[in-house]
Amino acid sequence: MRADIAWWDLDGTAQTVDSLTAHLRGGAAAWDRVPGLLGKVWIADRRTNRWGAVMLWADQRPALAELPANHAARLLGGPPTHRDSFDIEAVAGGVLAPARVAPAAGGTPVKPSASTVAPPPLPDAGPAPAHRPPYPRSPRHA
């Protein structure tokens, strides 16, 4: 498994964490159809004025041209300030439980089964708090 982390420093841009969050409603669903994507989590840090995403892949990430449109890059006028990719050595808990451990060098990767990747639907929690915009209720869109 692999993890990609990408973020933008928002200082000096016309966008804010809140404005970028508002754009998720229109573009997050396209990520549901990306082959090999185990999950994508959008992240923000208002203290340091950063916005980004963490993506977990069953194997290597497809080429950027094969991924859905990057609305943040379009809104911010360029690629992420930082982009890193990592091997995942082990996971525990959540939708990837039971724990999966990467093989020794040269071994065969252990991939999660379909039953460990598909999270159960969240119960309807009612309206979102007034201090932030509502998010889609599916954990795959959050």
Side-chain angles (χ1 to χ4, degrees), residues 102-130:
T108 303
V110 177
K111 294 182 182 179
S113 68
S115 64
T116 63
V117 174
L122 292 177
D124 186 354

Side-chain angles (χ1 to χ4, degrees), residues 27-133:
W31 288 90
D32 284 343
R33 298 179 297 277
V34 175
L37 181 66
L38 301 177
K40 181 171 181 174
V41 179
W42 284 268
I43 57 176
D45 185 343
R46 285 176 173 80
R47 184 181 55 79
T48 60
N49 203 28
R50 294 190 298 184
W51 167 267
V54 176
M55 291 151 282
L56 300 178
W57 302 97
D59 199 12
Q60 294 296 318
R61 171 181 49 85
L64 290 176
E66 298 175 34
L67 299 177
N70 188 327
H71 295 294
R74 180 180 51 81
L75 292 166
L76 291 162
T81 309
H82 302 278
R83 177 176 275 144
D84 289 300
S85 185
F86 304 91
D87 290 323
I88 296 176
E89 299 298 326
V91 296
V95 298
L96 297 177
R100 306 287 185 199
V101 179
T108 303
V110 177
K111 294 182 182 179
S113 68
S115 64
T116 63
V117 174
L122 292 177
D124 186 354
H131 65 278
R132 70 174 139 171

